Amino acid sequence: MENAEDWAAYKVERRAVSALEPYANNPRTHTDEQVAQIEASIREFGWTMPILIDEGGGIIAGHGRLMAAKRLGASEVPVIVAAGWTEAKKRAYVIADNQLAMNAGWDEELLRVEIGALDDLGSRPRAARL
């Protein structure tokens, strides 16, 4: 494992939306409804997760976030540059990033508790209603 100081996540920067290029072979799809959910989350909580790009501005992860940013009229977005990644590493991450999230599950009881707590507080964020 490389040194933590070398991790891409430690180097967040901003890039123009127009400078980012979606990966043409991205196998993950985003419906209008799902992009609207991402958009609602950004409105509610702000931008919390940068888009992962290569040195040329090609998107590795964050296609849905870019789509939401465009709908919000953002001119710039936070990005992390995966510097020095091979083509194989970038392609593998496109799949791994999405698959890892799909492999997670929910503790249904704890989820009910958390949603109930938000309701009790009387201010469940719009994004939590997704």
Side-chain angles (χ1 to χ4, degrees):
M1 184 161 108
E2 60 188 284
N3 228 351
E5 291 80 28
D6 295 330
W7 289 351
Y10 285 14
K11 301 168 188 145
V12 178
E13 54 188 77
R14 288 153 91 179
R15 294 277 175 98
V17 167
S18 61
L20 303 182
E21 184 68 35
Y23 177 49
N25 290 330
N26 182 26
R28 191 68 167 165
T29 60
H30 299 280
T31 64
D32 284 340
E33 180 182 4
Q34 195 247 351
V35 174
Q37 291 171 343
I38 297 169
E39 192 178 345
S41 178
I42 293 170
R43 269 198 209 100
E44 183 72 35
F45 304 110
W47 201 285
T48 61
M49 185 167 304
I51 295 172
L52 181 64
I53 63 171
D54 64 19
E55 292 101 331
I59 297 177
I60 300 169
H63 290 82
R65 291 188 295 278
L66 178 64
M67 294 166 78
K70 287 179 177 179
R71 286 169 57 161
L72 289 165
S75 59
E76 288 186 328
V77 294
V79 300
I80 297 171
V81 180
W85 284 22
T86 65
E87 191 63 29
K89 188 171 184 174
K90 291 186 281 187
R91 286 178 174 220
Y93 193 82
V94 167
I95 297 167
D97 180 58
N98 289 298
Q99 189 60 48
L100 290 171
M102 290 174 50
N103 289 343
W106 290 100
D107 180 318
E108 297 291 335
E109 180 57 32
L110 287 177
L111 180 59
R112 279 191 290 281
V113 168
E114 285 300 298
I115 290 173
L118 288 170
D119 287 337
D120 291 345
L121 292 170
S123 60
R124 186 189 318 184
R126 178 185 167 142
R129 292 184 213 129
L130 309 175

